[in-house]
Amino acid sequence: MKTVRHSEQTLRTALISKNPALVSQYEKLDAAERRLMNEAFRPASDLFGPITLHSQSDWITSHPEPPQDFEEFFNDPSRKTPSREKHRIYIQCIGSLGNTRIISEEYVKWLKGYCEAFFYGLTVKLLEPVPVSATGCAFRVNDSTKNLQIHAGHILHFLKKKKPEDAFCIVGVTMIDLYPRDSWNFVFGQASLTDGVGIFSFARYGGDFYSSSYKGKVKASQRQSLRDYSAFDNYYTPEVTSVLLLRSCKTLTHEIGHIFGLRHCQWLACLMQGSNHLEEADRRPLDLCPICLRKLQCAIGFNIVERYQALVRWIDDESAGTPRVTPKHSHDGNVNLPKPVEAFKEWKEWIIKCLAVVQK
């Protein structure tokens, strides 16, 4: 294992800049917010730690790219920010997110609520779900996994045409695996900063995706007859679990972060780190390092305390004591499906520590 450590001065410059105008901008922030952000260059900080690399296949090693500090983010001419005319994030569900209508509807509502807390200050709207056939996308059976995949680039083109006038961005979510081009095996998600569109798949986040008994595999006899979108009728979706929801929230906010102009983080352990595989994605924290937090705050203008409080409310907002309904025994009707937030508990404790620093 290798640790990526930067000097205190390097991290200070990445966060605050040496540009007098940006230094002045930072100094005008609330003193309590600065106290939290300054944890970035405190060597003994237990809130923000260095990036750890576990293998040569990890993102930073296999995809060298220049780091983006706050000054580079601020001065990026291609960066877009929400405006009075374009201030909404739209979520478009493609196919089902659960094996019943109720589960699918609840799952996308949980994602909506999470995005509203994470991108605090913006409105998130849900569009009516569409079947895969509505997108007109190409699809294939993956040679390795033997499961269905849909073409990410074609979905982005579909979303661009559907993008509402008041949208800052529109993002598609699906439980079907994605591929960006024929030569690639798969991709977790893909986004276009220029067009303000993104598509993200949660297929590989189910606990059984990589097992030999995965129910989404397409049999040889079926593969020979794949000629239309009927292959996606009643297509397998994984059981809704807390880990699946956590991974989905992580991917969704990471990719929307790119649409805001945040590039892959190489400063500290951060949601915006790149990931090549599920193990690396699981190591990423759910939230932003101070450098990326300042970038997002600059783009949206939220109060950091209010944002953290909204995230805690999202975790706490569950129907405690209600019998849990899982895809294995649920049915359509008046079903109360509790939000599975067990995997978020450790992160909630981290947020409370951050609030303690800000509210000293």
Side-chain angles (χ1 to χ4, degrees):
M1 186 175 76
K2 179 184 175 184
T3 301
V4 180
R5 290 189 185 276
H6 300 283
S7 69
E8 178 181 337
Q9 186 56 50
T10 297
L11 291 171
R12 182 189 292 270
T13 302
L15 171 66
I16 302 174
S17 172
K18 290 184 177 178
N19 181 311
L22 295 183
V23 172
S24 174
Q25 182 192 100
Y26 185 76
E27 290 172 347
K28 289 176 183 175
L29 293 176
D30 182 84
E33 293 185 336
R34 294 201 311 272
R35 185 162 57 243
L36 176 70
M37 291 189 183
N38 289 347
E39 289 281 316
F41 45 82
R42 272 193 64 234
S45 174
D46 62 350
L47 295 176
F48 306 101
I51 297 170
T52 57
L53 304 178
H54 291 242
S55 73
Q56 288 298 310
S57 65
D58 282 1
W59 183 271
I60 288 180
T61 306
S62 56
H63 293 273
E65 54 187 329
Q68 180 198 50
D69 58 22
F70 178 77
E71 183 174 340
E72 287 170 304
F73 167 84
F74 187 83
N75 292 326
D76 184 352
S78 64
R79 179 172 67 87
K80 290 183 170 60
T81 56
S83 64
R84 183 177 296 178
E85 295 77 25
K86 297 184 182 295
H87 60 281
R88 288 194 169 101
I89 295 172
Y90 284 86
I91 298 178
Q92 173 69 72
C93 185
I94 297 169
S96 178
L97 297 186
N99 65 5
T100 73
R101 177 181 58 82
I102 291 294
I103 292 169
S104 189
E105 289 176 356
E106 286 299 300
Y107 202 85
V108 75
K109 285 177 186 175
W110 295 335
L111 296 176
K112 171 186 181 292
Y114 185 80
C115 279
E116 284 183 327
F118 194 93
F119 301 104
Y120 188 73
L122 296 187
T123 304
V124 180
K125 295 283 189 181
L126 298 178
L127 296 172
E128 282 296 314
V130 298
V132 177
S133 58
T135 70
C137 69
F139 62 95
R140 72 180 186 185
V141 175
N142 183 284
D143 289 336
S144 302
T145 63
K146 311 302 180 193
N147 67 299
L148 286 168
Q149 293 182 298
I150 53 180
H151 194 290
H154 295 174
I155 301 289
L156 292 179
H157 182 68
F158 165 77
L159 293 171
K160 183 180 176 182
K161 290 192 295 183
K162 275 203 73 174
K163 188 178 178 183
E165 283 294 318
D166 63 349
F168 169 70
C169 67
I170 176 172
V171 294
V173 294
T174 183
M175 284 290 185
I176 302 165
D177 206 23
L178 299 172
Y179 70 104
R181 56 180 71 95
D182 290 342
S183 60
W184 279 51
N185 182 26
F186 80 98
V187 68
F188 286 120
Q190 192 172 349
S192 168
L193 169 60
T194 306
D195 296 325
V197 297
I199 173 67
F200 323 117
S201 169
F202 310 137
R204 292 178 181 249
Y205 295 155
D208 59 348
F209 184 88
Y210 293 97
S211 74
S212 59
S213 59
Y214 179 64
K215 295 177 183 175
K217 291 180 185 294
V218 179
K219 297 180 177 132
S221 58
Q222 294 174 308
R223 291 200 294 274
Q224 293 169 4
S225 60
L226 282 178
R227 300 185 185 280
D228 58 45
Y229 292 102
S230 63
F232 295 97
D233 294 344
N234 301 313
Y235 189 61
Y236 174 73
T237 54
E239 180 182 0
V240 171
T241 65
S242 184
V243 171
L244 178 66
L245 180 60
L246 182 144
R247 289 168 170 170
S248 300
C249 289
K250 197 181 280 191
T251 293
L252 186 58
T253 48
H254 173 98
E255 297 295 347
I256 294 177
H258 284 318
I259 297 175
F260 276 92
L262 280 72
R263 298 208 294 266
H264 285 131
C265 182
Q266 300 182 52
W267 304 110
L268 296 161
C270 178
L271 172 80
M272 291 309 298
Q273 288 171 238
S275 65
N276 260 352
H277 45 81
L278 185 57
E279 181 186 343
E280 186 178 18
D282 280 344
R283 288 198 302 267
R284 288 187 311 204
L286 267 162
D287 214 315
L288 303 167
C289 74
I291 296 162
C292 292
L293 181 62
R294 187 185 178 195
K295 294 174 187 177
L296 191 64
Q297 185 192 41
C298 172
I300 298 177
F302 51 70
N303 175 283
I304 289 177
V305 169
E306 291 176 358
R307 175 180 176 271
Y308 279 152
Q309 289 172 338
L311 288 165
V312 171
R313 282 196 302 273
W314 180 87
I315 297 171
D316 289 342
D317 182 21
E318 57 175 317
S319 303
T322 305
R324 184 172 301 284
V325 178
T326 70
K328 291 181 178 177
H329 60 265
S330 62
H331 53 83
D332 283 352
N334 295 320
V335 178
N336 189 343
L337 182 64
K339 190 195 311 175
V341 293
E342 296 85 1
F344 294 83
K345 296 302 184 185
E346 185 177 332
W347 183 51
K348 176 185 171 181
E349 293 172 4
W350 177 87
I351 295 174
I352 290 170
K353 286 182 181 178
C354 290
L355 284 169
V357 171
V358 180
Q359 296 174 324
K360 270 184 185 175

